Amino acid sequence: MSQSGLPPLTGAVRDLAHEVVSALRGGGHLAGSTALADDELGLAAVRVLGADVLLPATLAGYSLSPERVAAFRTATLAFPAAPGAAPVTAWSHWGMRRALRTLSGPDEDPALPDTGEPGASWLHSLPWQRFTHQLAVLGALALPGLPSEVATTAALRPVDLARGFVRAVRRRDWLQAAGAARWLALLDGVPDTLGLDTGLDFVLLMSDDDPRVALQAHAARHIRDERLLDEGLRA
Amino acid sequence: MTSTRLIHGVGLRALEWLHARRDGFRLEPDADPEVGLMDRFKPIGELAVICGVIFREGVAGSRQSQLARQLLDHVWRDTLDGGRMLVEGARTEPISPIPFEVYLPFRELGYEQPDIERATRLNHRLGSWSAVEVLPVRRLGLSAFQRRFGLRPEPGVDEATARTWLARTPEPWTVEGHIAYDITHTVFHLTDWGERPDRLPPHIAGYLADWLPVWLDDWLELRRWDLLGELLVVDACLPRPTFDEAAWEGFAAAQQPDGAMPALREMPEGEPDDLFDLVYHPTLVAAFASALALSRSLSALTPEPS
């Protein structure tokens, strides 16, 4: 699928997001079969979506081809987070390295050593509006079983994130709304009155099938469904 | 924390503007019968409610109290002709609840008009009065006013409350302008215009504590001052008001040097009467929000008896 009239990188990111969504929704059959474009544009698109490129495997447990994982590794190496980079850039890169380690096993990759978490102190003092914005940008870190200081901080402020979701919907910032919803799907303590399930459908409907929004929204729904299933099994 | 000086200043300036332009509270006795007299009663009733709040809360300075009393005397004596214009309205539209709604706050402040009371008691016995089809929030307002008058409301306040949007605590991201006004007025009626914050049912108070900060943020950014002012009143009706600093500062900055508060964005232009009609309501709301927030913030400073 090509997106006419869009800047090339935007189009490439949308194509890649569309492919991830199809894999998530279609049982994973596409996930491992399509090669990642390893030209400059393709690698840059991978860097924009970050760890979410591997979502069919990291969230849904589908297997990916070694070529795909290798191309992801190439993108991770090609766009490191510069020293002094913005926290969201550093965390996004941390998420990519972390996803690679999850898929390639416990052996250390000498080119991508484990440098630890970048630190999340910048989040603590942010008002709920900015807090939600930053968390939504880091939606790729909202995964069950992926502990991080960002996730720990998010878990302390579910009402603030819920407020940020409402604000994003009111402002028609569907990408931010979907990113916030993905964290909310993961957290305890979200007010029931938020209406997250219908909210997710509303965001999908209103965003005109923007693949980047759909990626976050479908990830959110996947996380939520698994949680509900777990709770149902425990009950 | 928003300064009490800022909150106080907004209210005083608003009242000075309303006092200086009190002739704007006017009737149109020769109005086309199809349009009716009732439209122009609304601002007068709202003025009486807000002056009642100012007297009740007792936090206004002596200047404000004096302005409020002079305003009330003026509209009761001169505009309403000692209440006789309300009787005239009731003769024209016997079943309309408007003369009663405008009368009640005056009655609570010591003004009297026996003919309106007779009409109210008769209307209360009519099946039509409780059957007339109005929005749930308005029905709640009528029931609350009947209770305050000393009548047994039909439907009861609890039943009327249950039918409102707010009582059902729906998805907060669906709130747009009309729903937001339904929310603010439901809170006004439930708390008797801020007199009884404890009458807010806990599930509604909790819902508002969660979502009011978003709506304040939203309508501050949209610069819809009339609605923002009403939401600041709602904040002051909560068990733990936030006195949202950004919202109060934005609201105060929108007020004109002479005290007028535009309804949205910038101050409009126009002939004096037209201008009055455009901005009297947000200016009244500013006086209301100021009186209630000031009262709540001062009582928050008072140490609990040990």
Side-chain angles (χ1 to χ4, degrees):
Chain A
M1 187 179 77
S2 71
Q3 314 273 338
S4 59
L6 294 174
L9 180 58
T10 308
V13 170
R14 287 175 65 112
D15 287 350
L16 187 55
H18 181 75
E19 191 191 300
V20 174
V21 172
S22 299
L24 266 183
R25 301 185 69 192
H29 65 279
L30 278 169
S33 59
T34 318
L36 282 172
D38 59 358
D39 57 4
E40 199 176 324
L41 189 62
L43 293 177
V46 172
R47 180 65 188 95
V48 171
L49 283 190
D52 276 343
V53 174
L54 304 183
L55 209 52
T58 52
L59 179 61
Y62 303 131
S63 59
L64 299 174
S65 69
E67 292 78 16
R68 195 173 176 89
V69 177
F72 182 85
R73 180 176 176 277
T74 306
T76 308
L77 284 166
F79 298 98
V88 287
T89 308
W91 273 104
S92 159
H93 201 262
W94 176 87
M96 293 176 81
R97 283 182 275 129
R98 191 57 203 261
L100 267 178
R101 248 196 321 286
T102 304
L103 294 187
S104 20
D107 293 340
E108 179 99 355
D109 183 337
L112 290 165
D114 184 358
T115 52
E117 297 188 23
S121 58
W122 101 100
L123 281 175
H124 297 157
S125 58
L126 293 181
W128 58 268
Q129 298 92 328
R130 185 88 188 127
F131 180 73
T132 305
H133 173 268
Q134 297 281 285
L135 266 289
V137 172
L138 290 174
L141 301 184
L143 278 178
L146 179 61
S148 68
E149 202 182 329
V150 171
T152 305
T153 309
L156 294 173
R157 298 177 67 179
V159 177
D160 278 353
L161 267 170
R163 287 175 179 157
F165 172 82
V166 176
R167 178 173 181 265
V169 171
R170 288 277 311 146
R171 295 159 69 98
R172 300 183 166 232
D173 184 341
W174 309 121
L175 186 58
Q176 188 184 159
R182 182 161 159 187
W183 284 103
L184 291 167
L186 198 61
L187 300 181
D188 293 325
V190 178
D192 287 340
T193 52
L194 176 63
L196 184 58
D197 289 326
T198 44
L200 271 170
D201 284 344
F202 185 77
V203 167
L204 274 168
L205 175 76
M206 293 295 288
S207 62
D208 282 335
D209 300 321
D210 178 328
R212 291 190 68 187
V213 176
L215 191 160
Q216 297 299 326
H218 285 293
R221 189 177 283 159
H222 196 101
I223 293 167
R224 192 159 170 79
D225 288 349
E226 286 206 340
R227 269 176 63 102
L228 293 174
L229 193 64
D230 283 352
E231 283 163 18
L233 290 177
R234 274 204 303 272
Chain B
M1 175 97 184
T2 309
S3 86
T4 50
R5 180 188 296 269
L6 179 129
I7 295 174
H8 176 260
V10 168
L12 178 59
R13 282 192 298 278
L15 208 57
E16 282 173 341
W17 186 90
L18 292 162
H19 186 269
R21 299 189 177 48
R22 56 191 174 280
D23 288 341
F25 293 100
R26 66 202 187 278
L27 301 182
E28 286 169 13
D30 304 325
D32 184 329
E34 286 300 311
V35 179
L37 190 61
M38 301 295 187
D39 270 5
R40 297 228 58 92
F41 281 151
K42 181 170 170 278
I44 295 169
E46 290 163 341
L47 173 71
V49 168
I50 304 314
C51 288
V53 171
I54 290 170
F55 292 135
R56 182 190 76 213
E57 297 300 327
V59 291
S62 55
R63 164 130 182 95
Q64 243 170 311
S65 301
Q66 190 187 13
L67 292 175
R69 181 53 73 182
Q70 287 175 359
L71 264 166
L72 281 172
D73 283 343
H74 167 75
V75 293
W76 179 258
R77 192 183 55 226
D78 298 335
T79 320
L80 293 179
D81 191 18
R84 275 177 288 277
M85 293 310 290
L86 293 175
V87 178
E88 179 75 23
R91 291 271 187 277
T92 312
E93 291 183 52
I95 307 307
S96 168
I98 292 176
F100 159 64
E101 290 174 288
V102 174
Y103 175 65
L104 180 71
F106 282 102
R107 180 190 197 240
E108 291 175 339
L109 294 165
Y111 301 85
E112 270 184 63
Q113 176 29 263
D115 286 348
I116 287 295
E117 304 220 358
R118 270 181 67 201
T120 300
R121 290 182 199 286
L122 171 60
N123 275 343
H124 183 252
R125 288 162 52 208
L126 298 178
S128 179
W129 234 31
S130 53
V132 71
E133 295 183 12
V134 294
L135 287 175
V137 62
R138 175 130 162 76
R139 175 57 70 193
L140 171 62
L142 290 171
S143 290
F145 267 39
Q146 287 171 49
R147 180 175 67 186
R148 283 167 59 174
F149 191 83
L151 298 169
R152 185 189 171 89
E154 174 56 40
V157 170
D158 289 348
E159 188 187 337
T161 302
R163 296 179 192 168
T164 61
W165 188 98
L166 179 60
R168 296 169 66 168
T169 63
E171 301 84 355
W173 39 269
T174 61
V175 172
E176 40 71 50
H178 288 100
I179 296 177
Y181 277 107
D182 292 342
I183 292 171
T184 59
H185 281 74
T186 301
V187 173
F188 299 165
H189 296 315
L190 281 174
T191 62
D192 280 344
W193 299 81
E195 183 176 8
R196 297 286 305 272
D198 57 302
R199 281 202 178 142
L200 215 50
H203 82 287
I204 291 181
Y207 176 81
L208 290 170
D210 281 344
W211 308 121
L212 184 62
V214 191
W215 302 327
L216 285 169
D217 175 86
D218 199 20
W219 276 291
L220 169 65
E221 185 166 308
L222 293 169
R223 303 169 70 210
R224 286 188 55 176
W225 311 119
D226 187 73
L227 181 49
L228 183 70
E230 292 204 1
L231 292 169
L232 288 171
V233 174
V234 170
D235 177 58
C237 289
L238 293 182
R240 276 182 295 280
T242 65
F243 309 112
D244 189 294
E245 197 167 351
W248 265 108
E249 285 183 356
F251 192 58
Q255 191 176 32
Q256 305 299 295
D258 66 359
M261 183 66 80
L264 72 164
R265 298 190 286 276
E266 313 295 341
M267 189 69 184
E269 290 178 5
E271 294 300 312
D273 278 352
D274 296 335
L275 200 63
F276 178 88
D277 291 348
L278 289 171
V279 302
Y280 86 86
H281 189 269
T283 307
L284 267 178
V285 168
F288 183 18
S290 164
L292 208 56
L294 196 60
S295 170
R296 293 301 304 279
S297 68
L298 292 178
S299 54
L301 295 176
T302 311
E304 297 280 330
S306 54

